[in-house]
Amino acid sequence: MYATVNDQRGRRVSLLVLDRSGHWQQVEGPRSLRGVSETLMLHPSRADLRAYGQAAACSPELRQTPRRLIALKVEYRELTFDPERFTVTNTLKESVRLAPCH
């Protein structure tokens, strides 16, 4: 009765920034790159995650954040549902760390 569909509903691309206090905080990606992040959920690759992170780091939207940026991280995660246990597992599949844009 249930089918597993491999689409972007179970995939997430997150953008995180490392602030001066040493904490990673998730931030919303630049609106101008929203289509790119949605495409990454369908066809993620390390090179594409890196390119997305570099574009986000240099975007005017992210550079205006009030926190001082030390580093940026792009994470690709997959969510899987176990119907027998009724649990969802959030698995980190790929992570790319980048320096801020200068």
Side-chain angles (χ1 to χ4, degrees):
M1 180 164 188
Y2 295 99
T4 301
V5 179
N6 192 11
D7 64 11
Q8 77 268 24
R9 287 181 291 181
R11 299 175 178 194
R12 300 286 181 264
V13 174
S14 303
L15 195 57
L16 300 105
V17 295
L18 182 63
D19 62 21
R20 297 247 182 242
S21 61
H23 297 100
W24 287 103
Q25 298 180 20
Q26 187 168 348
V27 294
E28 189 168 336
R31 282 184 228 126
S32 59
L33 297 174
R34 188 165 290 153
V36 176
S37 67
E38 290 173 1
T39 300
L40 281 174
M41 286 187 269
L42 291 172
H43 304 287
S45 74
R46 189 166 182 78
D48 289 342
L49 291 172
R50 181 172 296 285
Y52 172 71
Q54 288 171 340
C58 293
S59 77
E61 292 173 67
L62 195 60
R63 293 183 80 177
Q64 293 175 2
T65 58
R67 23 182 123 60
R68 294 193 158 262
L69 216 58
I70 294 176
L72 184 79
K73 186 167 40 172
V74 182
E75 291 185 344
Y76 165 68
R77 295 179 171 272
E78 287 186 356
L79 305 173
T80 54
F81 176 69
D82 181 348
E84 292 179 16
R85 295 185 179 173
F86 296 103
T87 58
V88 175
T89 304
N90 184 346
T91 307
L92 178 64
K93 293 292 190 173
E94 190 70 66
S95 179
V96 178
R97 183 177 170 155
L98 303 150
C101 185
H102 295 286

